[in-house]
Amino acid sequence: MLGAPGPASAGLPLPKQVFSHGFLFNRGEKMSKSVGNVIDPFALADTFEVEPLQTLRVVVVVTLLAVGVAPRVSLSVGGLASADYRVRNVGTMSRDAIRARYRESNGLLVGSLAAIAVVTGVGGAVLTFSDGRWDRWLALAVGLLALSRSRIFSRVAHMLPLRIAGLVVLGAQLVREVAEVDATRWLVVIVLGLGGVAVAVASLQISGISRARVKRLLNLVELLLVIQAIVLACGATGLFDRLSSMV
């Protein structure tokens, strides 16, 4: 072994294990830069070209689906879940320690929701102004789903990022529709009308039973939006076209 005299002359013990890796061959020869038979990654990427929006179409949907697990992950990583276990089994934990774990868990949750909102808002806006018909419908579903998924939370700091992201996507949809039909003069009227409807719905006084029925209906709508977003993402990525070509 060529490396053996080095450690021996320095008075160090000889290695007991030697790790080696194999070589990649191209047409029977070892790939080497000096030989010049390496594969150019840029040429390979041009051969198997992937549309830049492909990843975005999947990421916006997967990110919104991950909203449901964000609270549990934040509680576990922030240490608040283990604090509950410690209090129930050991019975000793200072109030300052619990408060510190709560702040850390809450900070992780707010940060993760803000990141999800940025991905949703930017991704939805980009898809809105895409030339693909599937992309525009997918962006609309993503905006509505962001507003619906915000109902998971009750605190303003938790629900606000998703609602802002949903409104940004829906606003982008409205801007594109107005630009295409050349109805700029109606933009203010439409915005004021939508704002009035939102305020009217929010100010409605309903009973507990009616509130439960509305919540059940909204849960069903959210389920349909999730299914629709997944189907639209499959269509936008060209999955249906590939399946139809295989039949």
Side-chain angles (χ1 to χ4, degrees):
M1 184 173 58
L2 296 178
S9 62
L12 299 176
L14 296 177
K16 297 180 180 179
Q17 288 183 329
V18 177
F19 296 95
S20 178
H21 60 80
F23 298 102
L24 295 177
F25 287 85
N26 184 8
R27 298 178 181 177
E29 295 181 347
K30 180 176 72 73
M31 294 178 60
S32 172
K33 291 184 294 182
S34 59
V35 177
N37 60 349
V38 295
I39 299 176
D40 186 1
F42 296 102
L44 191 63
D46 293 336
T47 303
F48 302 96
E49 184 177 359
V50 178
E51 190 179 352
L53 291 179
Q54 287 288 66
T55 304
L56 184 61
R57 292 161 181 155
V58 178
V59 167
V60 290
V61 177
V62 174
T63 303
L64 280 177
L65 295 180
V67 171
V69 300
R72 185 178 297 273
V73 173
S74 300
L75 289 175
S76 300
V77 177
L80 196 59
S82 60
D84 177 70
Y85 175 82
R86 180 180 177 86
V87 169
R88 285 188 290 108
N89 292 272
V90 181
T92 56
M93 193 169 187
S94 65
R95 180 176 300 178
D96 293 337
I98 296 178
R99 187 179 293 111
R101 295 194 181 193
Y102 168 78
R103 285 197 299 266
E104 185 174 356
S105 299
N106 185 64
L108 288 172
L109 179 58
V110 172
S112 61
L113 291 176
I116 292 174
V118 170
V119 173
T120 302
V122 175
V126 171
L127 293 175
T128 297
F129 292 98
S130 173
D131 295 331
R133 180 170 53 90
W134 285 100
D135 291 336
R136 294 183 61 182
W137 284 106
L138 176 60
L140 179 60
V142 165
L144 294 175
L145 186 58
L147 294 176
S148 179
R149 297 289 280 173
S150 66
R151 299 184 306 109
I152 299 176
F153 309 99
S154 57
R155 298 187 61 184
V156 176
H158 298 155
M159 68 174 65
L160 188 60
L162 291 176
R163 295 194 174 179
I164 292 177
L167 292 176
V168 167
V169 177
L170 296 182
Q173 292 272 336
L174 180 61
V175 169
R176 173 153 188 178
E177 290 295 331
V178 170
E180 288 185 350
V181 299
D182 194 18
T184 308
R185 62 181 181 276
W186 292 102
L187 179 60
V188 177
V189 177
I190 294 174
V191 172
L192 292 177
L194 292 176
V197 171
V199 172
V201 172
S203 60
L204 288 177
Q205 298 293 330
I206 57 177
S207 62
I209 298 178
S210 299
R211 192 183 302 275
R213 291 175 179 175
V214 172
K215 184 177 180 180
R216 187 182 307 170
L217 178 61
L218 292 177
N219 290 338
L220 178 60
V221 171
E222 182 176 339
L223 177 61
L224 295 177
L225 286 174
V226 170
I227 297 174
Q228 184 184 28
I230 294 175
V231 172
L232 290 172
C234 293
T237 54
L239 180 60
F240 295 149
D241 294 335
R242 294 189 182 94
L243 292 176
S244 61
S245 62
M246 295 172 58
V247 178

